[in-house]
mmCIF file of all heavy atoms in Angstrom:
data_model
loop_
_atom_site.group_PDB
_atom_site.id
_atom_site.type_symbol
_atom_site.label_atom_id
_atom_site.label_comp_id
_atom_site.label_asym_id
_atom_site.label_seq_id
_atom_site.Cartn_x
_atom_site.Cartn_y
_atom_site.Cartn_z
ATOM 1 N N GLN A 28 5.941 1.786 49.470
ATOM 2 C CA GLN A 28 5.693 1.703 48.030
ATOM 3 C C GLN A 28 5.471 0.267 47.580
ATOM 4 O O GLN A 28 4.607 -0.007 46.742
ATOM 5 C CB GLN A 28 6.860 2.305 47.240
ATOM 6 C CG GLN A 28 6.768 3.779 47.028
ATOM 7 C CD GLN A 28 7.795 4.255 46.001
ATOM 8 O OE1 GLN A 28 8.183 3.536 45.094
ATOM 9 N NE2 GLN A 28 8.212 5.497 46.171
ATOM 10 N N VAL A 29 6.251 -0.646 48.123
ATOM 11 C CA VAL A 29 6.091 -2.057 47.774
ATOM 12 C C VAL A 29 4.703 -2.529 48.203
ATOM 13 O O VAL A 29 3.984 -3.174 47.428
ATOM 14 C CB VAL A 29 7.190 -2.929 48.430
ATOM 15 C CG1 VAL A 29 6.915 -4.409 48.216
ATOM 16 C CG2 VAL A 29 8.567 -2.554 47.871
ATOM 17 N N ALA A 30 4.299 -2.204 49.405
ATOM 18 C CA ALA A 30 2.979 -2.588 49.905
ATOM 19 C C ALA A 30 1.869 -1.987 49.055
ATOM 20 O O ALA A 30 0.898 -2.671 48.708
ATOM 21 C CB ALA A 30 2.825 -2.168 51.365
ATOM 22 N N THR A 31 2.009 -0.708 48.698
ATOM 23 C CA THR A 31 0.997 -0.049 47.866
ATOM 24 C C THR A 31 0.921 -0.701 46.493
ATOM 25 O O THR A 31 -0.173 -0.931 45.970
ATOM 26 C CB THR A 31 1.313 1.456 47.726
ATOM 27 O OG1 THR A 31 1.295 2.052 49.027
ATOM 28 C CG2 THR A 31 0.307 2.158 46.846
ATOM 29 N N GLY A 32 2.077 -1.005 45.914
ATOM 30 C CA GLY A 32 2.096 -1.667 44.610
ATOM 31 C C GLY A 32 1.419 -3.023 44.653
ATOM 32 O O GLY A 32 0.617 -3.367 43.779
ATOM 33 N N LEU A 33 1.726 -3.805 45.675
ATOM 34 C CA LEU A 33 1.086 -5.116 45.822
ATOM 35 C C LEU A 33 -0.422 -4.971 46.010
ATOM 36 O O LEU A 33 -1.208 -5.717 45.409
ATOM 37 C CB LEU A 33 1.690 -5.866 47.017
ATOM 38 C CG LEU A 33 3.095 -6.416 46.815
ATOM 39 C CD1 LEU A 33 3.674 -6.896 48.134
ATOM 40 C CD2 LEU A 33 3.098 -7.525 45.787
ATOM 41 N N GLN A 34 -0.800 -4.017 46.823
ATOM 42 C CA GLN A 34 -2.225 -3.792 47.072
ATOM 43 C C GLN A 34 -2.940 -3.405 45.776
ATOM 44 O O GLN A 34 -4.034 -3.893 45.496
ATOM 45 C CB GLN A 34 -2.401 -2.709 48.126
ATOM 46 C CG GLN A 34 -3.836 -2.515 48.554
ATOM 47 C CD GLN A 34 -3.949 -1.518 49.705
ATOM 48 O OE1 GLN A 34 -3.015 -0.775 50.002
ATOM 49 N NE2 GLN A 34 -5.089 -1.519 50.355
ATOM 50 N N GLN A 35 -2.324 -2.543 44.976
ATOM 51 C CA GLN A 35 -2.937 -2.134 43.713
ATOM 52 C C GLN A 35 -3.142 -3.325 42.786
ATOM 53 O O GLN A 35 -4.210 -3.495 42.191
ATOM 54 C CB GLN A 35 -2.064 -1.090 43.007
ATOM 55 C CG GLN A 35 -2.091 0.264 43.646
ATOM 56 C CD GLN A 35 -1.158 1.244 42.946
ATOM 57 O OE1 GLN A 35 -0.339 0.874 42.112
ATOM 58 N NE2 GLN A 35 -1.284 2.511 43.310
ATOM 59 N N VAL A 36 -2.110 -4.158 42.660
ATOM 60 C CA VAL A 36 -2.209 -5.315 41.764
ATOM 61 C C VAL A 36 -3.258 -6.308 42.274
ATOM 62 O O VAL A 36 -3.991 -6.905 41.483
ATOM 63 C CB VAL A 36 -0.835 -5.989 41.585
ATOM 64 C CG1 VAL A 36 -0.949 -7.293 40.823
ATOM 65 C CG2 VAL A 36 0.129 -5.042 40.867
ATOM 66 N N LEU A 37 -3.351 -6.462 43.579
ATOM 67 C CA LEU A 37 -4.318 -7.402 44.139
ATOM 68 C C LEU A 37 -5.754 -6.889 44.049
ATOM 69 O O LEU A 37 -6.685 -7.667 43.815
ATOM 70 C CB LEU A 37 -3.975 -7.701 45.603
ATOM 71 C CG LEU A 37 -2.714 -8.529 45.826
ATOM 72 C CD1 LEU A 37 -2.373 -8.572 47.313
ATOM 73 C CD2 LEU A 37 -2.875 -9.928 45.265
ATOM 74 N N GLU A 38 -5.950 -5.589 44.221
ATOM 75 C CA GLU A 38 -7.302 -5.046 44.310
ATOM 76 C C GLU A 38 -7.863 -4.515 42.988
ATOM 77 O O GLU A 38 -9.075 -4.465 42.822
ATOM 78 C CB GLU A 38 -7.340 -3.935 45.366
ATOM 79 C CG GLU A 38 -7.105 -4.459 46.778
ATOM 80 C CD GLU A 38 -7.093 -3.359 47.820
ATOM 81 O OE1 GLU A 38 -7.150 -2.162 47.450
ATOM 82 O OE2 GLU A 38 -7.009 -3.700 49.013
#
Side-chain angles (χ1 to χ4, degrees):
Q28 274 192 30
V29 173
T31 299
L33 287 169
Q34 186 174 15
Q35 287 177 349
V36 172
L37 290 171
E38 293 178 354

